[in-house]
Amino acid sequence: MNSNELLEKIRECVEFGKVNKDVPYPPNMKGMDGADELTKMALEQGVPPADILNEALIKAMERVGQKFTDKKIFVPQMLIAAKAMNASMVHLKPFFQSGQVQRKGKFIIGTVAGDLHDIGKNLVAMIVEGAGWEVVDLGVDVNAQKFIQTIEEDKKAVVGLSALLTTTMASMKSIVGDIKAKYPDVRLIIGGAPITDAFRQEIGADGYAADPQGAVAYLNNIAV
Ligand code: B1M
């Protein structure tokens, strides 16, 4: 396979969730190499890691995010696509760490204090990572102090807050207030089932996204 064919195959594996040769999913790709083997092969053949990221992974995750927004696929397909992306990322991580591949920026994300829901937050983190951002995932039940400590390490980072409970919307409001009081220039994007753009305006956050693709669109707009 030449470089373009390999990139196309990796893209296909990530889009349709083919993690490696051993997994039987998706049925029409059973027994075939997956994102794991093909990424390794591509690197061995000298395909630049940045091309694998930009031409295969980011394109695949854009399609996945769009299909999810259009309700053509659902949470399980998105999770399996993210798993395939992670199988590829394992091989690319050393190149990111060495600085050979530039990321678009850093995105710090967490579910706000008092809230333990993390499925949506994890999806946002995965799709944003797939879109070429370095993601620092602080997990669930994250208070203002933890967000602020992490921002201190990179003041240009964009911060994402997720909340699933109407009760923790109050927590989101106070965290946004605390972060903005300390770092007025840090950009904050919020999301989660009960969150709306009207609520964003009310609490003074910078962006609101209804889904992971919306978060990527917001972030990519900043990166331009
Ligand atoms: Co909970 N829970 N839960 N729960 N839970 C809800 C949210 C609830 C709506 C169920 C109901 O009553 N119908 C309800 C909230 C009601 C309300 O506040 N109005 C509820 C409740 C009440 C509770 C408990 C209080 C129950 C109890 O103990 N009495 C408790 C609270 C615990 C706590 O957090 N302190 C609780 C606990 C749990 C479990 C632990 C059992 C489990 C969470 C497991 C986990 O996350 N690891 C759970 C679950 C699974 C749910 C439901 C069923 C599913 C949530 C989910 O994962 N959705 C939920 C009911 C429902 O939604 N049907 C419910 C799928 C996920 C992909 O969607 O998270 O919305 P979502 O994320 C979306 C978007 O919102 C967006 O992108 C994602 C993908 O499109 N998005 C962002 C999310 N974050 C974003 C950030 C962004 C941008 C977009 O930028 C930064």
Side-chain angles (χ1 to χ4, degrees), residues 13-75:
C13 285
V14 173
E15 183 177 350
F16 296 101
K18 178 72 178 165
V19 178
N20 59 39
K21 194 170 185 166
D22 296 338
V23 297
Y25 183 87
N28 64 330
M29 294 171 92
K30 197 173 169 184
M32 291 160 68
D33 282 338
D36 178 22
E37 293 86 2
L38 291 166
T39 304
K40 212 164 153 250
M41 205 184 292
L43 290 169
E44 279 162 10
Q45 286 190 25
V47 178
D51 287 1
I52 301 176
L53 178 71
N54 295 318
E55 303 304 322
L57 305 194
I58 291 182
K59 288 216 168 114
M61 292 314 266
E62 268 171 19
R63 290 187 192 191
V64 169
Q66 195 54 51
K67 283 196 277 186
F68 182 76
T69 301
D70 296 341
K71 300 196 167 39
K72 289 185 178 147
I73 61 167
F74 300 95
V75 171

Side-chain angles (χ1 to χ4, degrees), residues 68-69 74-75 78 107-125 128 140-141 159-169 172 188-195 207-216 219:
F68 182 76
T69 301
F74 300 95
V75 171
M78 192 136 102
F107 181 56
I108 300 166
I109 187 167
T111 301
V112 299
D115 202 322
L116 303 176
H117 295 85
D118 69 355
I119 299 169
K121 183 266 297 167
N122 292 346
L123 289 174
V124 173
V128 167
V140 296
D141 194 19
V159 180
L161 286 78
S162 177
L164 257 287
L165 298 169
T166 44
T167 48
T168 55
M169 288 169 76
M172 182 177 259
L188 300 173
I189 171 171
I190 60 171
I195 308 304
Y208 156 73
D211 55 30
Q213 204 53 21
V216 168
L219 288 165

